[in-house]
Amino acid sequence: KKITETKILSEVQKKALLEVKESFNQKDVCLLHGVTSSGKTEIYIKLIEEQLNNGKQILYLVPEIALTSQIINRLRKHFGNKVGISHSRMNNNERVEIWNAVNEKNKNKVQYPIILGARSSLFLPFDNLGLIIVDEEHDQSYKQDEGVTYNARDMAISRASFENIPINLITAVPSIETYENIKKGK
């Protein structure tokens, strides 16, 4: 259940939310660019609420789970027990619990419609994914250099494309790749 009500958006936030939604009508990838403490959190909370109201699941990627206690607290304060956490430091029992919690086939009900996770959470078997958010999209921690090498931001974009769902990249400082893609109209 919801713990706190959504804050009322400022006019600038309302405009940004509208622009994000309009951009999803043209492209599935959108960059929400704003300086730290500019109010991006309330915008993506609105996007998450809309997906939840449509019965969809949300994957919220963060570069490193250890550095994100603030976002964990904000999402849990707002969405309560609907938020699950996924990262590579979990033990096998915790991994199985999260795996089952996002897949209706295992329990006939999704336990965590919102998963906040590091790059490995991309591989969870979501039944009804409706939105992917990649916070701090520029962060180098999204790149896996050991074993199988991949960039979780790029894989998230590919997964969103494959599932035909929107993806919201969020940052105060866009990566060079993202900036180039914007310049090229991608």
Side-chain angles (χ1 to χ4, degrees):
K1 72 179 192 182
K2 189 187 288 189
I3 304 300
T4 61
E5 292 299 316
T6 306
K7 292 180 184 176
I8 296 173
L9 298 181
S10 70
E11 290 305 312
V12 171
Q13 288 171 316
K14 286 178 187 175
K15 183 176 186 269
L17 179 61
L18 183 63
E19 288 176 1
V20 167
K21 289 180 184 181
E22 287 175 356
S23 76
F24 286 147
N25 291 331
Q26 298 168 11
K27 297 189 183 312
D28 289 332
V29 183
C30 176
L31 174 69
L32 179 55
H33 176 231
V35 297
T36 304
S37 300
S38 62
K40 296 183 300 286
T41 303
E42 293 307 318
I43 294 168
Y44 62 70
I45 282 178
K46 287 284 192 191
L47 293 170
I48 291 170
E49 283 179 343
E50 288 177 11
Q51 293 298 322
L52 288 177
N53 290 339
N54 291 326
K56 300 289 188 175
Q57 295 170 289
I58 298 90
L59 172 58
Y60 190 111
L61 287 177
V62 291
E64 292 184 49
I65 208 73
L67 303 176
T68 59
S69 60
Q70 182 179 0
I71 190 61
I72 293 169
N73 291 338
R74 280 189 98 165
L75 288 177
R76 283 197 167 152
K77 181 179 179 185
H78 188 80
F79 296 107
N81 60 3
K82 292 181 179 181
V83 181
I85 309 297
S86 173
H87 54 86
S88 60
R89 294 188 191 126
M90 297 169 67
N91 67 42
N92 287 340
N93 290 339
E94 292 169 322
R95 288 175 198 240
V96 168
E97 180 183 334
I98 290 294
W99 183 275
N100 289 334
V102 299
N103 192 317
E104 287 180 355
K105 296 173 190 132
N106 291 320
K107 293 186 178 181
N108 295 325
K109 184 177 182 243
V110 172
Q111 184 178 350
Y112 299 122
I114 305 167
I115 291 292
L116 178 71
R119 60 184 180 236
S120 60
S121 58
L122 261 173
F123 305 107
L124 289 170
F126 291 94
D127 276 337
N128 199 14
L129 195 56
L131 175 67
I132 298 174
I133 296 172
V134 182
D135 203 355
E136 302 297 334
E137 68 87 24
H138 66 277
D139 197 293
Q140 293 299 309
S141 297
Y142 283 120
K143 293 182 179 177
Q144 165 82 23
D145 294 329
E146 304 165 6
V148 176
T149 53
Y150 66 97
N151 184 319
R153 180 204 57 221
D154 296 346
M155 292 283 294
I157 292 170
S158 293
R159 180 162 188 180
S161 175
F162 178 75
E163 299 208 27
N164 199 26
I165 62 170
I167 180 166
N168 193 205
L169 307 178
I170 302 172
T171 189
V173 184
S175 67
I176 292 170
E177 297 94 337
T178 299
Y179 182 72
E180 283 298 314
N181 285 333
I182 291 168
K183 281 177 50 178
K184 292 176 183 175
K186 288 185 173 182

